[in-house]
Amino acid sequence: MPKEITERDQQYWSTNLRLIIICLAIWAFVSYGLGLLLRPLFMGIHIGGADLGFWFAQQGSIFTFLALIVFYAWRMNKLDDEFGLED
Amino acid sequence: MSQFTINLIFVLGSFAIYTWIAVWARARSTREFYIAGGEVHPTMNGMATAADWLSAASFISVAGLISVGYVNSAFIMGWTGGYVLLATLLAPYLRRFGTYTVPDFVGKRYDSKVARVVAVLCLIIISLTYVIGQMTGAGVAFARFLEVKVSTGLLISSVVVFAYAVLGGMKGVTYTQVAQYIVLILAFLTPAVYLSLMVTGHFLPQTGFIGAHAESGTPMLMKLNEVVRDLGFQDYTADVSNKWNMFLFTLTLMVGTAGLPHVIIRFFTVPNIKDARRSAAWALVFIALFYTTAPVVAAMGRMNLLDNIYPNGVHEPSLSYEERPQWFKNWEETGLLKFEDKNGDGRIQFYNDGTLPTPNKSFVAPEGWAGNELTVNNDILVLALPEIANMPGWIIGLIAAGGVSLPPCQPRPV
């Protein structure tokens, strides 16, 4: 018999979903946004010999991805502790 | 000691280490064979995932691929961004199922034999395609550093792969890959640091990338733009006209990365779900080390190659074929570098006559040039870099070891 879904479970899941949505929004903004589609808007901002968009496409997006994954892992592991979840 | 001997020492030395580890950590039970006993430390697991993902093919080809210019940034973002999807949408949930293989998981999740068979078919297609690329890369590396033909190099790499396949098992593979990652990243970072110091004076390639060109004082990327523009290529940093094409391509690569079975399987080999999350983070740390350096090697490597063909600047006579350096002859032998004297002046004119990717439409070739005379395979950008930039012999040996580091680690359960 599958376990009944409690309010607590729903709370855990909605926190998880919110985190995922935030992470993926930033993920899309730095790569598809700054690095690609929005690049023409920021041609005036220079980083070294290139514009902001070029730098994000070749370096900045990777640094951001890394920060996102580390943040998500840390936050979710903490959430698991708060809800007393182990697998 | 000759370069060939140095290369041989590095290549055989690294293989001795891999073999020793493979034997030491060989699987002793079914659980160890499929998921390394499910007790790999997340840092180690991240490193093994990175080795898996990078592999010899990336080591050899990625920088060459990116050196075309901004348009190929799709590869950089695509092959790293997929990990965000993997870490948030896939890895933690896969871990909860407690299966051994990807088809196992699919079959159980959807409670269907048909789904399982479809998963197996997909795996075979993905793995075959993947292995073709990997084997070609290893073949090229073996060919150059053991001084044999590319087809012979391919045969050698097949034999090595087969030998290691017999040892098999996820446990042996995981720990061998940790060693492979270390060899690979050292072989990639060492020449990158050397190149960055040479071109910009920056120790960190990532800051050299946005730093100034040491010789002229102009920012490195601007200098590169000038050089390629004067040779009929589009600016290195030029934007693309078809944004949506690049957008969809990047998206495809990201989703594809998140779905690769040999990466997914990695989340079965750690003890618990928390470690699965940590492991995804570690994997990207190790992958980012490579992928933030690759664009630097691409830009500076391209500049360095052009500097060698036009030692006195692009408006002065280019390198004479008679006086071509040793590295040029070495790579001519592999067939990856070809020269054809179209205008018969004995000099090497390397420029975009409209037949190469990303031409500069307003470029007019100087009088007497009769078309591009040099064909450069992008794969040699990394492998030939230490020779072109006159780096010491041990760096060339290290690159050789990195280039052939793939075979021991490919075949294993997914």
Side-chain angles (χ1 to χ4, degrees), chain B residues 42-66:
Chain B
T43 313
M44 293 279 186
N45 200 51
M47 217 181 254
T49 312
D52 229 347
W53 183 224
L54 298 175
S55 73
S58 309
F59 175 83
I60 296 168
S61 313
V62 163
L65 205 57
I66 309 172

Side-chain angles (χ1 to χ4, degrees), chain B residues 81-94:
Chain B
Y83 278 84
V84 179
L85 295 176
L86 195 63
T88 55
L89 303 176
L90 285 166
Y93 314 106
L94 285 169

Side-chain angles (χ1 to χ4, degrees), chain A residues 55 59 63, chain B residues 188-212 220 288-289 292-297 300:
Chain A
W55 185 79
Q59 305 263 292
F63 294 129
Chain B
F188 196 74
L189 292 185
T190 311
V193 167
Y194 196 101
L195 185 66
S196 175
L197 278 171
M198 192 176 85
V199 176
T200 64
H202 283 260
F203 180 80
L204 278 182
Q206 287 81 353
T207 61
F209 192 60
I210 50 173
M220 190 275 291
L289 204 53
T292 54
T293 309
V296 187
V297 173
M300 293 184 188

Side-chain angles (χ1 to χ4, degrees), chain B residues 12-59:
Chain B
L12 293 179
S14 61
F15 272 67
I17 297 173
Y18 300 148
T19 311
W20 180 75
I21 295 176
V23 172
W24 168 75
R26 70 187 175 281
R28 289 185 176 83
S29 68
T30 314
R31 203 172 147 75
E32 284 191 346
F33 184 82
Y34 282 108
I35 57 168
E39 52 199 18
V40 180
H41 188 275
T43 313
M44 293 279 186
N45 200 51
M47 217 181 254
T49 312
D52 229 347
W53 183 224
L54 298 175
S55 73
S58 309
F59 175 83

